[in-house]
Structure formats: C-alpha cells, structure tokens
Amino acid sequence: MMILFTILTFLIYLFSKKAYTKWSLFFFHPLLLAPVLLIILISVTHVSADQYLVDSKWLTHLLGPATVAFAVPIYKNLSIIKKYVGTIIISITSGTLVAIFSTFGLSKLLHLNTDFINSILPRSITTPIAIEVSKEIGGLPTLTTVFVILTGIIGGIVGPSVIKGLSIKTPIAKGLALGMGAHGVGTNKAIEYGRQEATFSSLAMIFAALITLIWGAFLIPTLMNFNIHHIF
Amino acid sequence: MKIIQNMYFTNGENQRTINSIVNFGMKRSFNSSFCIMEGIVTRKLGVIIIQVVFLHVFLFLGAALKEVIPLPIPASMFGLFLLFIALNFKIIKLEWVERGANWLLAELLLFFVPSAVGIVNYDEIFSVQGAEIVGLIGISTIIVMGITALIAEKITGWKRSEQH
C-alpha cells in the first residue's frame, strides 16, 4: 500500500504536469489538478487522508534534500549573487516585511484566532523553513503547510498578472518577485520566463527564508504582543 | 564509452545527449542501439538516485550541526550551507550532486502534492472563513510581489543610470 500511493501520486503529478505544459490553464497546475484527482481517488477508495499522508511520506520527505539541493544553483550563480547582492537583500528584506505586516493586518481585520495568525505569518516562505518559523512563534505546522501551499498556488496564478500589470521588464525583478511571493511554486513559474528569472527566483526564495527566520526570532513576537485593535 | 563520458562528465544539455545517442544508434543495428539506449536511461536514473541519496549525507550533517548550534534554523538549511561550503572549497565536485539536485529542484512541486491533499483535514478551509483566507493570501501575495518587483526594478534602473 505504501509504495502504491507514492507511485500513484507520482503518475498523477506527471500527468498534471504534462497537461499544464500543453494547455497552460491554471486549473491544470500540478498543485491544483494532482491534489484534486488524488482527493477524489482516496475518497472513492475509502482511504483516509491521514492514511494517504503516511503512505506518501517519502515524497514529502524529499523536501529536505530538495532544500539542501538549492546549494547547487547558489554555487553555480555565485558571480551573479556577488554582483546583485545589494538589490537582492534590499528587495527581499522589504518583501518579507510586507508579507508579514500585510498578512498580520488582514488577519486582524478578519478576526482570525491567534493559532491561525501564528500559523499564517510565515506563509510566503518555503515549507520546511515555514514550519520551523511556525513552531518558533507558536503556530501549528500542519496549518502552516496548508497556508504555504495555498500561497504557492495563488502566487503561481497571480504572479504573471502582477508582472504584466506593473510592466516589470528586468529578469531580476521578475525572478525576485516570484520567489519572494510564491517560494518554490513561484520559482517553478520563473523557469517559464527563463534561466535568469529562475536563478533570481531561487535566490529570492532562499534569502526570504533566511530573513524570515530572523523576523521569526525578533520581530514577530513583538508584533503578537502589540495590541492592534487601537488601529483597526 | 565516449558517449557515456560525454553524458556524465560534462554539463552538456539533454539535447546533446539525445544527439549523441541518435548518432551512435545510426552506426549500429536497431536492436543493439535500442539496448544501449535502454542502458543509458537506466544509468541516468541510477545516477539521479545515487546523487539524491548522497545529498542526504549533507542533510544528516545539517541535523548534527543543528544539535550543536542552538538556532531556530531547520536541519535542511544547515545542510544547504554545508553543501555550499563543500562545493566552494572543492571538497566535493559539482558533478557528484548536480544531476540529483537538478532533478529534485525540477520536480519540487511533486513533494508538495501530499501536503496539498492534506488540506481535506481542515474543514475550516472549505467554509466561509476559508474563502476569506484565500482572499487574504491573494491580496497579500499581490502586494508582496508588486512591491518586491518594483523595488528590484527601481534599484536595477538606478544602477544602470550610474553606469552610463
């Protein structure tokens, strides 16, 4: 059973990826079509979601080595990083602050409970690190995973419109925006734009994760103690 | 053998590999070239698997480092630093990890699929509040991407005008 769901997930993912490459419609996105098909499959076969998660844990586990693997593009693009280090750090520091403050403000407007707010704050960074930040600030890791995935799917869909709408021209701005806004899914989208965009996007993702780790330790605890009701 | 060397020991694109397989096949009968192709595909998969397993060494070293350094940084992030240092100081060669790493990064979305299926465990997501949260994430993501892109574009513009 264990291997079966791993293989099925892989096959359905491949199908979804092929369909998305061919037709490029947002509902064929591998993070939308594949989970929907799998949810239908497990409900038809009466397998619980928890059972499915246990059976496919090898795939989730690969996020660990995949994070390690980001050392390869960083190493290969070291000269680009050195050249643009200022731009990257300023843009991503701003991006992470905007992500945290806008998410916090909107969460307060929606009167989300504290568990939800703590879980949603690290939503714009890559899953393994978002989970760490979530644990650190008192969120629920599984709920954080859901928000990170939602951010990825939504970011992958709205990203190209944002780039088009603001008529962003440079590869660095496109790449940093996609990686900052939608982590791995954004980086996946950036590959469609080109090599440079993909590089900057993966760099944005790594820097966003690192900088958010710092905010998680210092800024977010202060933010949570601050009574925002005086403003809203 | 030369073809296989060409495949594994250069950073050539896939197209080049395909070309060399095709050229090679033309000189051989259909049957033997098919066997060779099959062999190459198997070896390619083998290389990826071995390299992905090798990447775990850095994941474990990262986990060990996390025990020593009490910072709220995940083991995989420590692993990333360690692999980067190892590559930079030529402790390991790029070819030892490149194919495995490229595969992991190319199929990154696959590793999120099970967690996305896990959404069904959160009934709240499908309720009215779920729609509000999706809206929240959408608005916030548009602002984040917009501001990041505009700042990066502006800085690049200033840098360019300085150079001219």
Side-chain angles (χ1 to χ4, degrees), chain A residues 193-212:
Chain A
Y193 284 88
R195 227 200 175 92
Q196 272 186 298
E197 283 87 345
T199 306
F200 283 121
S201 186
S202 47
L203 292 176
M205 198 179 128
I206 295 156
F207 277 86
L210 288 175
I211 294 169
T212 306

Side-chain angles (χ1 to χ4, degrees), chain B residues 11-162:
Chain B
N11 303 335
E13 298 293 317
N14 275 343
Q15 192 54 45
R16 235 169 91 196
T17 317
I18 292 160
N19 285 344
S20 49
I21 294 167
V22 171
N23 291 340
F24 192 79
M26 301 245 257
K27 291 175 198 155
R28 297 280 184 279
S29 71
F30 173 77
N31 233 356
S32 67
S33 77
F34 182 74
C35 290
I36 287 161
M37 263 178 86
E38 205 178 55
I40 287 171
V41 169
T42 318
R43 277 195 65 168
K44 209 172 160 182
L45 191 70
V47 169
I48 290 172
I49 292 171
I50 289 167
Q51 293 196 351
V52 170
V53 171
F54 182 61
L55 282 168
H56 280 77
V57 171
F58 289 90
L59 193 63
F60 294 138
L61 288 175
L65 194 61
K66 189 183 157 70
E67 293 295 311
V68 183
I69 302 171
L71 284 176
I73 297 174
S76 55
M77 211 67 184
F78 276 118
L80 190 162
F81 284 125
L82 290 173
L83 177 59
F84 176 72
I85 290 164
L87 286 167
N88 226 4
F89 289 97
K90 314 274 180 233
I91 299 165
I92 68 155
K93 284 184 179 167
L94 184 60
E95 295 92 284
W96 296 359
V97 289
E98 199 181 15
R99 276 172 186 279
N102 284 347
W103 181 80
L104 284 170
L105 295 180
E107 309 302 341
L108 199 62
L109 297 187
L110 169 65
F111 316 132
F112 287 111
V113 171
S115 314
V117 174
I119 290 179
V120 290
N121 276 344
Y122 291 89
D123 297 336
E124 298 98 322
I125 296 293
F126 297 101
S127 64
V128 179
Q129 195 166 47
E132 286 176 352
I133 291 172
V134 169
L136 178 163
I137 293 175
I139 294 167
S140 172
T141 302
I142 290 170
I143 301 171
V144 170
M145 283 182 167
I147 290 181
T148 309
L150 287 174
I151 290 174
E153 189 105 325
K154 272 275 177 306
I155 298 173
T156 317
W158 289 333
K159 271 190 174 174
R160 268 189 200 149
S161 56
E162 263 173 38

Side-chain angles (χ1 to χ4, degrees), chain A residues 103-140:
Chain A
T103 307
F104 184 72
L106 290 166
S107 306
K108 282 289 181 186
L109 268 180
L110 294 180
H111 301 291
L112 295 186
N113 66 44
T114 319
D115 274 354
F116 265 66
I117 297 179
N118 281 330
S119 309
I120 205 170
L121 284 182
R123 61 165 188 85
S124 76
I125 57 171
T126 185
T127 311
I129 294 141
I131 287 170
E132 293 303 312
V133 175
S134 173
K135 277 190 219 155
E136 205 60 35
I137 62 175
L140 306 166

